[in-house]
């Protein structure tokens, strides 16, 4: 696997986390900078760890995991998306601006589950798992920083409905992944 292929793979894996970063930016606009950087770091860290775990587990588990990974992603992103939509319709401002640790971890895990399966593939290709995983993590971190710090400005036109749009996007990402894994959309 060439370094260019690793970069392309890294960017592709980072796209779900990037989309979620843009969506969460409206909720985090008043949060301190360290919290925004921490969310991007968690996205990158989980994207880095998952291929290593996938490579360690091996190809035998990948077939069994492929049978249900899309359901985990769909349910997690759907749940978080519904909560974002519900918060956007709420009159309570505190709910709209809070991103807690549980949500950060859930988003990080949900957006990195595909990287677990990629880890198995990396091992089968006899690629350098550590170099590939670190590259995936760093690219994801950088892309998510861009999403978190520019997403609010990108969604500014929606103002009151930015969080609702973010929730809908999370749900759509989950549906897209589910439909891809069920064979209704190309991967």
């Amino acid at each position: 696997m060439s370094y260019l292929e690793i970069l392309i793979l890294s960017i592709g894996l980072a796209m779900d986390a990037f989309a979620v970063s843009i969506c969460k930016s409206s909720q985090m606009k008043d949060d301190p900078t360290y919290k925004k950087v921490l969310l991007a770091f968690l996205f990158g860290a989980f994207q880095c760890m998952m291929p290593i775990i996938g490579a360690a587990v091996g190809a035998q588990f990948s077939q069994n995991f492929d049978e249900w990974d899309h359901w985990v992603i769909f349910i997690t992103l759907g749940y978080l998306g519904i909560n974002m939509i519900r918060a956007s319709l709420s009159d309570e401002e505190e709910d709209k601006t809070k991103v807690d640790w549980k949500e950060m971890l859930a988003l990080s895990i949900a957006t990195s589950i595909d990287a677990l399966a990629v880890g198995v593939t990396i091992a089968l290709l006899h690629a350098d798992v550590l170099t590939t995983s670190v590259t995936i993590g760093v690219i994801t971190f950088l892309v998510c920083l861009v999403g978190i710090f520019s997403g609010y400005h990108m969604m500014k036109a929606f103002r009151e409905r930015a969080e609702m749009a973010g929730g809908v996007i999370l749900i759509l990402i989950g549906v897209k992944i589910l439909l891809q894994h069920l064979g209704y959309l190309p991967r």
Side-chain angles (χ1 to χ4, degrees), residues 32-97:
T33 300
Y34 82 88
K35 192 171 181 182
K36 296 172 185 176
V37 172
L38 178 63
L39 181 59
F41 175 79
L42 286 172
F43 282 137
F46 275 89
Q47 287 281 28
C48 179
M49 288 186 304
M50 289 297 198
I52 294 169
I53 294 168
V57 171
Q60 295 170 330
F61 182 68
S62 72
Q63 291 175 339
N64 294 336
F65 185 70
D66 275 347
E67 294 175 16
W68 54 270
D69 69 338
H70 48 284
W71 289 106
V72 172
I73 297 167
F74 172 71
I75 291 168
T76 304
L77 290 179
Y79 172 78
L80 292 170
I82 289 168
N83 280 342
M84 281 180 72
I85 292 169
R86 189 176 14 209
S88 76
L89 298 172
S90 171
D91 290 336
E92 297 176 28
E93 274 305 305
E94 186 178 350
D95 289 339
K96 289 184 175 186
T97 59

Side-chain angles (χ1 to χ4, degrees), residues 96-185:
K96 289 184 175 186
T97 59
K98 226 181 207 180
V99 177
D100 64 9
W101 291 100
K102 290 187 291 188
E103 186 176 7
M104 281 195 232
L105 287 174
L107 288 169
S108 299
I109 292 168
T111 58
S112 66
I113 288 178
D114 281 351
L116 185 66
V118 167
V120 174
T121 305
I122 291 169
L124 292 173
L125 293 172
H126 304 292
D128 182 358
V129 175
L130 188 59
T131 300
T132 304
S133 296
V134 169
T135 303
I136 290 168
V138 169
I139 295 293
T140 301
F141 170 71
L142 295 174
V143 164
C144 289
L145 277 179
V146 170
I148 289 169
F149 285 103
S150 66
Y152 176 72
H153 301 290
M154 286 190 254
M155 295 178 78
K156 210 173 196 177
F158 294 114
R159 208 66 178 184
E160 289 86 27
R161 297 297 173 205
E163 191 172 13
M164 180 180 286
V168 170
I169 289 169
L170 287 182
I171 292 169
L172 291 175
I173 290 169
V175 169
K176 178 197 80 144
I177 291 169
L178 179 67
L179 293 175
Q180 284 176 327
H181 282 75
L182 293 176
Y184 294 110
L185 292 175

